[in-house]
Amino acid sequence: LCPCLIYGAYVFLPFDAPLLPTVSARLVYTLRCAAFATFPIVLGMIVSAISRLCSSALEPFGELHREVEIHRTYVSQSVHLFILYFFNMAVLATYLPQELLKLIPLLTGLFAISRLIFWMSYAIGRSFRAFGFSMTFLPLLAMLLWNLYGMFVLEPENLLS
């Protein structure tokens, strides 16, 4: 489903990436796009804080209830995945040709939407969370494989430069 969503958005959304000739400009562009991917994490932190405040627990730092634990776990997992996602997108931005840089904001949007889907499905039931997690993890895995391919096969002479 992820390749179909990315391809459809790539073809049908009417925007192009700005001209980014240098590596530093590409990294700044990636950093700016990644700021939007933090929205579901910040939203999760807010909801987690509100649910902790409204929790019926007598001991605020004691054992957490399910409604508090769901949001806390979501935020923790999202932060870990965001770090991996961001570093892979930063490396990806250095290997992509100019005409494919449109993928950076599309992958960022996919990350944000898939984390929100994961959060909703995780709140419904733990057995439904695989769909949202796979929408986050499989593009991350594809980026990692492409980055490794780019580093070791396409440009092995520039591996550390």
Side-chain angles (χ1 to χ4, degrees), residues 5 14 22 25 38 42 58 62 66 77-78 90 97 111-112 128 145:
L5 289 174
T22 64
T38 61
V42 172
L58 296 175
R66 182 181 183 277
Q77 290 177 358
S78 294
F111 176 82
F128 296 111
L145 292 175

Coordinates of all heavy atoms in Angstrom, one line a residue, residues 5 14 22 25 38 42 58 62 66 77-78 90 97 111-112 128 145:
L5 N 0.6 4.6 -2.4 CA 0.3 5.9 -1.9 C 1.4 6.9 -2.3 O 1.1 8.0 -2.8 CB 0.2 5.9 -0.4 CG -1.0 5.2 0.2 CD1 -0.9 5.1 1.7 CD2 -2.3 5.9 -0.2
P14 N 0.3 18.5 -7.2 CA 0.9 19.6 -8.1 C 2.0 20.4 -7.4 O 1.8 21.6 -7.2 CB -0.3 20.4 -8.5 CG -1.2 20.3 -7.3 CD -1.0 19.0 -6.7
T22 N 23.2 21.9 -3.8 CA 24.2 21.5 -2.9 C 23.7 20.5 -1.8 O 22.5 20.5 -1.6 CB 24.8 22.7 -2.1 OG1 23.8 23.3 -1.3 CG2 25.4 23.7 -3.1
A25 N 22.0 22.4 1.1 CA 20.6 22.9 0.9 C 19.7 21.7 0.9 O 18.5 21.9 1.4 CB 20.6 23.5 -0.5
T38 N 7.1 15.8 13.2 CA 7.0 15.8 14.7 C 5.6 16.2 15.2 O 5.3 16.0 16.4 CB 8.0 16.8 15.3 OG1 7.7 18.2 14.8 CG2 9.4 16.5 14.9
V42 N 4.2 15.4 19.0 CA 3.8 16.5 19.9 C 2.4 16.3 20.3 O 2.0 16.5 21.5 CB 4.1 17.9 19.3 CG1 3.6 19.0 20.1 CG2 5.6 18.0 19.1
L58 N -4.9 7.3 42.2 CA -4.7 8.0 43.4 C -3.2 8.5 43.5 O -3.0 9.5 44.1 CB -5.1 7.1 44.6 CG -6.6 6.7 44.7 CD1 -6.8 5.8 45.8 CD2 -7.4 7.9 44.8
G62 N 2.4 6.4 40.4 CA 2.3 4.9 40.6 C 2.0 4.2 39.3 O 2.4 4.6 38.2
R66 N -4.5 1.9 31.6 CA -4.4 1.6 30.2 C -4.4 2.8 29.3 O -3.7 3.0 28.4 CB -5.5 0.6 29.8 CG -5.3 0.1 28.3 CD -6.4 -0.8 27.9 NE -6.3 -1.3 26.6 CZ -6.7 -0.6 25.5 NH1 -7.3 0.5 25.6 NH2 -6.5 -1.1 24.3
Q77 N 7.6 5.1 21.2 CA 7.9 4.4 20.0 C 8.0 5.4 18.8 O 8.8 5.2 17.9 CB 6.8 3.4 19.7 CG 6.8 2.2 20.6 CD 5.7 1.2 20.3 OE1 4.8 1.5 19.4 NE2 5.6 0.1 21.0
S78 N 7.2 6.4 18.8 CA 7.2 7.4 17.7 C 8.5 8.2 17.7 O 9.1 8.5 16.6 CB 6.0 8.4 17.8 OG 4.8 7.7 17.6
A90 N 17.7 12.1 5.7 CA 18.8 13.0 5.5 C 19.8 12.3 4.5 O 20.3 13.0 3.6 CB 19.5 13.3 6.8
P97 N 18.4 12.2 -7.1 CA 18.6 13.3 -8.1 C 17.5 14.4 -7.9 O 16.5 14.2 -7.2 CB 18.3 12.5 -9.4 CG 17.7 11.2 -9.1 CD 18.0 10.9 -7.7
F111 N 5.0 9.3 6.9 CA 5.3 9.0 8.3 C 4.3 9.6 9.3 O 3.9 8.9 10.2 CB 6.7 9.6 8.6 CG 7.1 9.4 10.1 CD1 7.7 8.2 10.5 CD2 7.0 10.4 11.0 CE1 8.1 8.0 11.8 CE2 7.4 10.3 12.3 CZ 7.9 9.1 12.7
A112 N 3.9 10.9 9.1 CA 3.0 11.5 10.0 C 1.6 10.8 10.0 O 1.0 10.5 11.0 CB 2.9 13.0 9.7
F128 N -4.7 -4.6 16.2 CA -4.9 -3.8 15.0 C -3.7 -2.9 14.7 O -3.7 -2.3 13.6 CB -6.1 -2.9 15.1 CG -7.4 -3.7 15.3 CD1 -8.1 -3.7 16.5 CD2 -7.9 -4.5 14.2 CE1 -9.3 -4.4 16.6 CE2 -9.1 -5.2 14.3 CZ -9.8 -5.2 15.5
L145 N 17.6 0.4 2.8 CA 18.1 -0.4 1.8 C 18.6 0.4 0.6 O 19.7 0.1 0.1 CB 17.1 -1.5 1.3 CG 16.8 -2.6 2.3 CD1 15.7 -3.4 1.8 CD2 18.0 -3.4 2.7

